[in-house]
Amino acid sequence: MKKIIQIVLLTFLLLPNFVKAQTQEAGDVGAMWSFPVVYEYDEEVTWYFDLSGTTFLAESDVYLWMWSPSEPDAGNWENSSEFAKLTYEGNMVWSKTLTPTLYFSKTPEEIAASAGFWFRLKDKTGTLQSGVAQVAYTNFTTFYTDNQLIKSYPSAPTLDKGISILFNSNLQPGFEGATSVHFHSGLNNWDVKQEYQAWLPEIVEKTKLKDLGNGFYKMDLIPNEYYDVPDGYVMNNLVFLMVKDEWAATTPDHVLNAGEYIPPPPPEFRFFPLQLSKKDFLGIMRKNNEPGVNKLVYTITANDVILTGEFTGNVSEIKGFVNLVTPLQNVENLTSIHVLVKDNNNNVISDTTIPLKTVD
Amino acid sequence: MKCKLLYGLAMVCLLAFGCSKNDDGSHVAPITLYEKVNGNWGLMNLKMVDEFAKKNAIEPSEQNLSSMFNYADFKINFNVDEKMQPTSYEVLGDVPPLFAPTGYWELSAAFQPTGQIPLMIYLYSDVQKTQKTDELRLSSVPGSNGEMEIQLTRTSEGTPFITYIFKLNTLNE
């Protein structure tokens, strides 16, 4: 009897530990970013979280658990609410779109005075949690007093990352009393343009800057989406000018040089295999193609037989195999083939004679 | 205590000898590889290995051809007679003829050779099996999973330069 009591007591002693041990650590949240890049506390924003370094499963339901500036989902650790659920964006990145003042039921002043945006990410039932993390907030209010015409976050844009461009129209003569301000812009010295076409309602909307009040405006965009550039496009700069109403006034041209970009690796062309006979398949492959190159056109000459065809692909790789087996099975005295490969721009990629092995 | 020990010993004896059966002299012919290889086989995977690249550690040294040139439809039948002796074979599916698509076949050994000796499937154009057309290596013998692997190696002056690896599964149901 005494033993039984001891066991029961021991069980109760261990129970809290057991319950606690049910929440597993998933690891720390990796890179975080937002769109818009800079935003007011009463502005809608999407936060992105890279969880590739955690044990959260791709596409799984992940929830936001925040306690600063307030605790919107308080008391629901074991059953997170739908409003706290993140959206899976692919590649182990999840996002949450919210307006801070609404989500936290706080005024902008209260949020500004708080300790910041502190959170964990978790599964619905609280059995898996990330480490404690903070969403960094970029305070851009100094722009209101800096007497600067244009300021961008970041200062150097990159093609696939967001950029916020602030404009102080008070410093640009002619912009007084503007009803709206529009972004007339392009990439690489106007190579790709998004003009301000004041007669097209959807373009008027797309190019419109957000009015921050008191003559201050903000433009938020992600270059590759905004300009819809082809795969592999290399951005060197973003050129723009601000336009008042229907071209009532403009700023001078501005150029933002693109952030240091990593030049793409050089193209790599090769045949596969390196040795072959007329009874085999010939692979033709090219990696790291230049932007716009998406096709390889081949002409293979084997004595009197000429084989032609093409393979399509993309910037990362174009690849295909030619069947030599069937068309060359009756070609006698064949010691080599001549292979000419051109791209879709008619540039010669390879002009080679390949010796053929004689099969034992 | 002593009693329990005795029981224990008795149990061990029972387990060790209880179910043994005397050989009654009946004899069944041993299962040959022909019984396992014969039948219809479908393609699971076809890989082309660049033996020159592989030997010289150049990448890539292999490519998957399973989805090309109709290889998804590749089938091969190895037929035997009632005495389990190999007769004809046939490749089905409109695929490039990497080896002769029809003919006669036999194995280099009816039983799994020991050691490093490769097991070969010899292909012939004539029923007398005097005109050898190709040699396939049976690199994985069919087992209970109903899969086998055959390899076709191209050699020139004795040096292999390409190997095609056919991973097959049985279609005998």
Side-chain angles (χ1 to χ4, degrees):
Chain A
M1 192 60 198
K2 210 174 163 188
K3 260 190 185 167
I4 291 174
I5 291 170
Q6 277 177 353
I7 288 168
V8 170
L9 277 176
L10 205 67
T11 308
F12 276 101
L13 262 168
L14 288 170
L15 202 61
N17 286 332
F18 179 65
V19 170
K20 208 175 165 191
Q22 280 190 326
T23 298
Q24 302 210 332
E25 296 296 333
D28 287 330
V29 179
M32 284 177 259
W33 62 97
S34 73
F35 187 82
V37 179
V38 297
Y39 49 95
E40 303 259 26
Y41 289 125
D42 57 2
E43 201 178 332
E44 186 177 87
V45 60
T46 302
W47 290 337
Y48 294 89
F49 308 94
D50 182 348
L51 300 186
S52 53
T54 70
T55 55
F56 282 105
L57 296 176
E59 296 180 39
S60 63
D61 290 344
V62 178
Y63 294 79
L64 191 56
W65 180 260
M66 299 204 62
W67 57 88
S68 172
S70 72
E71 197 173 345
D73 208 12
N76 296 327
W77 175 260
E78 285 165 0
N79 186 17
S80 282
S81 306
E82 273 309 292
F83 74 78
K85 194 172 170 180
L86 307 189
T87 305
Y88 185 63
E89 301 281 348
N91 285 330
M92 290 301 283
V93 171
W94 278 257
S95 73
K96 179 70 195 165
T97 301
L98 53 82
T99 303
T101 47
L102 300 178
Y103 194 81
F104 299 105
S105 306
K106 296 269 181 194
T107 64
E109 295 72 28
E110 285 170 331
I111 296 175
S114 75
F117 300 122
W118 287 94
F119 71 98
R120 278 185 200 271
L121 297 178
K122 61 186 283 291
D123 63 356
K124 187 168 178 69
T125 55
T127 57
L128 189 62
Q129 67 174 19
S130 73
V132 170
Q134 185 187 17
V135 175
Y137 178 76
T138 306
N139 185 346
F140 65 93
T141 53
T142 53
F143 182 70
Y144 298 139
T145 53
D146 273 355
N147 274 334
Q148 226 180 324
L149 183 68
I150 304 276
K151 184 174 169 77
S152 77
Y153 292 90
S155 53
T158 41
L159 192 65
D160 57 353
K161 298 269 176 357
I163 181 168
S164 291
I165 301 170
L166 299 171
F167 171 49
N168 182 352
S169 76
N170 304 304
L171 302 177
Q172 183 62 49
F175 272 70
E176 303 83 7
T179 345
S180 61
V181 173
H182 297 266
F183 194 65
H184 180 73
S185 65
L187 296 182
N188 298 2
N189 301 315
W190 308 98
D191 168 38
V192 176
K193 291 185 276 282
Q194 177 57 70
E195 294 169 304
Y196 169 39
Q197 295 152 310
W199 62 95
L200 298 174
E202 72 272 18
I203 300 298
V204 169
E205 201 48 45
K206 182 179 180 181
T207 57
K208 191 175 175 181
L209 276 77
K210 186 181 165 67
D211 189 348
L212 301 174
N214 301 319
F216 292 95
Y217 295 86
K218 178 165 72 99
M219 188 67 196
D220 299 302
L221 60 91
I222 301 168
N224 62 351
E225 291 174 11
Y226 189 81
Y227 299 99
D228 194 22
V229 290
D231 194 15
Y233 191 83
V234 177
M235 170 183 174
N236 302 321
N237 62 36
L238 172 59
V239 289
F240 63 93
L241 49 95
M242 304 297 185
V243 184
K244 178 194 174 185
D245 301 336
E246 292 188 24
W247 293 91
T250 70
T251 64
D253 275 19
H254 278 265
V255 179
L256 293 175
N257 284 316
E260 188 191 350
Y261 82 96
I262 299 151
E268 258 179 67
F269 176 82
R270 61 162 291 172
F271 293 111
F272 182 93
L274 297 174
Q275 297 182 346
L276 80 166
S277 74
K278 68 169 190 170
K279 296 165 87 176
D280 294 305
F281 301 115
L282 173 64
I284 296 175
M285 43 193 84
R286 191 170 189 263
K287 284 184 171 180
N288 312 325
N289 297 290
E290 302 85 348
V293 173
N294 53 30
K295 200 185 280 182
L296 293 179
V297 183
Y298 65 83
T299 307
I300 298 173
T301 312
N303 287 0
D304 298 338
V305 177
I306 294 173
L307 307 172
T308 56
E310 59 184 48
F311 302 125
T312 52
N314 54 30
V315 172
S316 68
E317 190 176 38
I318 306 171
K319 170 167 128 177
F321 285 83
V322 184
N323 172 12
L324 301 181
V325 188
T326 317
L328 302 190
Q329 59 185 332
N330 298 320
V331 180
E332 301 296 331
N333 304 318
L334 191 61
T335 54
S336 66
I337 52 174
H338 181 261
V339 184
L340 174 67
V341 181
K342 290 183 174 184
D343 66 15
N344 49 311
N345 298 323
N346 210 28
N347 293 318
V348 174
I349 302 292
S350 177
D351 186 349
T352 328
T353 298
I354 301 177
L356 293 178
K357 287 270 171 191
T358 309
V359 178
D360 291 345
Chain B
M1 190 63 196
K2 208 171 174 184
C3 191
K4 267 189 185 168
L5 207 69
L6 274 173
Y7 269 124
L9 272 172
M11 283 298 282
V12 170
C13 286
L14 203 70
L15 283 171
F17 305 108
C19 297
S20 80
K21 189 178 165 216
N22 289 332
D23 194 328
D24 61 3
S26 76
H27 179 75
V28 177
I31 292 171
T32 69
L33 285 170
Y34 287 111
E35 268 179 75
K36 295 181 172 181
V37 174
N38 101 80
N40 307 321
W41 298 88
L43 187 84
M44 294 167 71
N45 186 281
L46 172 60
K47 210 160 65 174
M48 182 182 187
V49 178
D50 181 340
E51 296 290 354
F52 178 82
K54 195 172 156 189
K55 190 177 166 194
N56 293 286
I58 298 167
E59 287 299 325
S61 65
E62 58 181 59
Q63 294 287 320
N64 192 329
L65 302 181
S66 311
S67 61
M68 292 173 205
F69 310 121
N70 285 329
Y71 272 107
D73 297 335
F74 175 94
K75 289 179 185 63
I76 188 164
N77 299 339
F78 290 106
N79 303 313
V80 292
D81 61 17
E82 64 281 3
K83 289 178 196 156
M84 275 297 161
Q85 290 307 301
T87 56
S88 61
Y89 77 92
E90 186 182 10
V91 172
L92 301 172
D94 183 19
V95 296
L98 280 176
F99 55 88
T102 55
Y104 303 87
W105 69 291
E106 69 181 3
L107 294 172
S108 59
F111 298 96
Q112 179 82 54
T114 52
Q116 299 297 310
I117 305 159
L119 187 58
M120 307 301 291
I121 303 174
Y122 298 132
L123 305 181
Y124 303 91
S125 58
D126 59 330
V127 70
Q128 294 79 24
K129 297 175 186 171
T130 56
Q131 305 292 319
K132 196 195 278 180
T133 53
D134 294 283
E135 285 186 11
L136 302 173
R137 182 176 171 188
L138 183 57
S139 45
S140 172
V141 173
S144 54
N145 59 358
E147 293 177 13
M148 76 169 169
E149 189 183 275
I150 55 177
Q151 300 186 353
L152 171 67
T153 298
R154 298 262 191 256
T155 57
S156 185
E157 292 169 4
T159 307
F161 59 94
I162 295 173
T163 299
Y164 295 92
I165 303 177
F166 296 79
K167 206 167 191 178
L168 307 170
N169 62 341
T170 180
L171 302 174
N172 298 337
E173 290 302 336

